[in-house]
Amino acid sequence: MELINKWSVIMQPESNNYFTVTPMSQRVSLKPGEVYNGSITIINPVNSETDFNYKVEVTPYSVVGEDYAADLATKSNYNMMVDWLKIEEPTGTLKPNNSKEIKFSITVPKDAPGGGQYATIAVSQNQSSAAQDGGVAVNNVFEMASLIYAEVAGETKHETEILENEIPGFVTSAPITLKALLKNAGNVHETATIIIEAKDFFTGNVIVETENDANQYTELVMPETTRLVERDINENLPALGVVHIEQTIYYNGEQSVTTKDVIICPVWFMILLGVTIVAIVGSIVLIVRKHHKKKKLMDVD
């Protein structure tokens, strides 16, 4: 199965079945011994051609590696919530241009540890139901998941560090890729805010405005992980020139600012420059040789 981590429309191959799930993520606060009630909404849009037989399941959620590949199978102390979370109506059918609110409850044990707990409420096509209705079962079933980020009241540990705040000094073409490496050694998720600003070095014209929401964004860092965050600057870049860039990271009370003048030098220009340098050096060598040859002739005379 494929986890889609964006608010988007998914089509089931060969079945012309479309659906969306909202919200794509939720942050909730839990207390030991209490019950939390929430919901997600499944939508079968008007442009869908068939009924959507859905299935809703709960899976553990964790991440693998610095690029945060989703792991919906591995259990750990940070996704015990998968056993606390119950779906009210796990299966059903939606006609085109209809939506369904799926309610869920999280019953928190009295001895639940404080800190982060993570799970997904995953929605996919119910193939067994489709087969019973005479529909076509598909091999490539897509799955959308609403991620539940929960913080359980109790003993929490906040220990974070900005390991890298990098801007390249040289690129041959767009994009310019900015990097941030964020560590969370605590037991609950943390949020980093990253702000980017870029100007043309020679004209002072603004390329990336900090007021633009796309250039002020937040990233969530899971407990006991390190996350690599990359953001590309693509628009308004000169084909050849210098761009002044500043990236500021705010992370759990820590601030890091990196400023750099990035040279954009395309390959064709480097080749042209190299050919020009070779030509100039060759011309100088010829002139020197002619001068030496002429001097030798004069000395012979």
Side-chain angles (χ1 to χ4, degrees), residues 219-233:
E219 296 288 355
L220 186 144
V221 187
M222 299 281 281
E224 297 187 35
T225 66
T226 298
R227 181 169 193 175
L228 175 64
V229 178
E230 297 183 329
R231 182 60 64 102
D232 290 340
I233 298 177

Side-chain angles (χ1 to χ4, degrees), residues 177-180 194 196 217 219 228-232 247:
T177 302
L178 281 57
K179 297 181 180 181
I194 302 176
I196 300 171
Y217 61 99
E219 296 288 355
L228 175 64
V229 178
E230 297 183 329
R231 182 60 64 102
D232 290 340
Q247 177 169 260

Side-chain angles (χ1 to χ4, degrees), residues 15-26:
S15 66
N16 294 322
N17 227 347
Y18 299 77
F19 72 100
T20 62
V21 174
T22 183
M24 289 307 294
S25 66
Q26 302 182 48

Side-chain angles (χ1 to χ4, degrees), residues 107-129:
T107 303
V108 187
K110 292 182 179 180
D111 60 350
Q117 286 292 324
Y118 311 96
T120 71
I121 300 177
V123 181
S124 62
Q125 184 187 46
N126 189 348
Q127 294 191 68
S128 60
S129 177

Side-chain angles (χ1 to χ4, degrees), residues 279-295:
I280 292 173
V281 171
S283 297
I284 293 173
V285 170
L286 287 174
I287 292 171
V288 171
R289 285 181 176 177
K290 287 181 179 180
H291 176 73
H292 283 303
K293 187 175 181 180
K294 185 177 180 181
K295 186 177 180 182

Side-chain angles (χ1 to χ4, degrees), residues 27 61-65 68 76-80 113-119 148-152 155-161 182-191 219-227 251-252:
R27 299 191 189 188
Y61 178 68
S62 59
V63 294
V64 179
Y68 267 42
S76 73
N77 290 333
Y78 289 112
N79 51 43
M80 294 185 295
Q117 286 292 324
Y118 311 96
I148 310 297
Y149 300 96
E151 181 174 351
V152 181
E155 185 176 348
T156 56
K157 175 185 176 184
H158 298 272
E159 186 177 332
T160 59
E161 185 179 359
L182 308 170
K183 181 179 180 180
N184 181 2
N187 68 346
V188 68
H189 50 280
E190 304 283 0
T191 300
E219 296 288 355
L220 186 144
V221 187
M222 299 281 281
E224 297 187 35
T225 66
T226 298
R227 181 169 193 175
Y251 185 40
N252 197 27

Side-chain angles (χ1 to χ4, degrees), residues 43 52 62 73 112 130 144 149 173 190 218 237 262 274 278 286 289 298:
I43 305 168
F52 175 50
S62 59
M144 292 189 73
Y149 300 96
S173 63
E190 304 283 0
T218 60
L237 292 177
V262 183
V278 170
L286 287 174
R289 285 181 176 177
M298 291 178 64

